[in-house]
Amino acid sequence: MTSELVTERLRLRQWTDDDLAGWVAMNADPRVREFFPEVLTAEQAAASLDAFRRDLEARGWGWWAVEVTATGEFIGMAGLDPVDEEAPVTGVEAGWRLAATAWGHGYATEAARAVLEYGFHELGLPEILAITVTGNARSRAVMDRLGMTYDPAADFDDLTAPPGPLRPSVVYRLTAL
């Protein structure tokens, strides 16, 4: 059964067909995809939504759809996932991606706090990582607000990204209290 997380202003939930248009639009936005190699086509975005939905159904946790509780507006995703096999670090990673219209409201931090709490208290994880491109100041600020610790010894080049500024990656860590 898929878990649902609720915060003061947000609901992290299973994906629905109604989320597709918003997910496609935000992943076609160059601002949202600034730290990714490319924007996604509608087909790529739909495939990722389907994968997120399957993972949530299978595990009960993963990348949840995020909506504003007061309005029901879909604003993006947040969640936990095992670190990609290509990365030189292992563990479970927290992450978030919001539509540009949702930036600047504290939603990423609020959703990520719920995700961390779930990971530590429900899944019993001893540590949760967050990984981003070195230049992604917005995500790094969220990691700092969450109390995560930057681990420069774990920095690595993401060889799945094209050569250039999207390769250098940083790792932040938070251990269970």
Side-chain angles (χ1 to χ4, degrees), residues 35-155:
F35 298 103
F36 294 91
E38 60 194 12
V39 297
L40 296 183
T41 65
E43 294 77 18
Q44 290 168 320
S48 67
L49 186 151
D50 288 340
F52 298 158
R53 186 182 293 179
R54 284 192 308 274
D55 284 347
L56 281 168
E57 287 172 0
R59 290 192 300 233
W61 59 275
W63 300 119
W64 287 277
V66 178
E67 72 177 36
V68 177
T69 308
T71 63
E73 176 191 6
F74 167 80
I75 60 167
M77 66 92 152
L80 297 165
D81 202 49
V83 173
D84 289 340
E85 292 177 8
E86 299 85 10
V89 294
T90 58
V92 173
E93 173 183 11
W96 46 86
R97 186 178 324 150
L98 300 180
T101 56
W103 296 354
H105 300 283
Y107 293 144
T109 303
E110 185 173 331
R113 278 199 179 107
V115 163
L116 292 172
E117 182 176 315
Y118 181 86
F120 289 133
H121 298 261
E122 300 299 321
L123 300 179
L125 297 172
E127 177 183 67
I128 298 174
L129 307 178
I131 301 169
T132 192
V133 172
T134 301
N136 189 343
R138 286 188 305 273
S139 277
R140 292 182 76 169
V142 171
M143 295 168 193
D144 288 336
R145 283 192 292 277
L146 294 169
M148 301 186 92
T149 301
Y150 171 46
D151 180 5
D155 287 358

Side-chain angles (χ1 to χ4, degrees), residues 7 16 18 29 34-35 39 86 97 161 163-164 171:
T7 71
T16 69
D18 290 341
D29 184 339
E34 177 181 2
F35 298 103
V39 297
E86 299 85 10
R97 186 178 324 150
V171 177

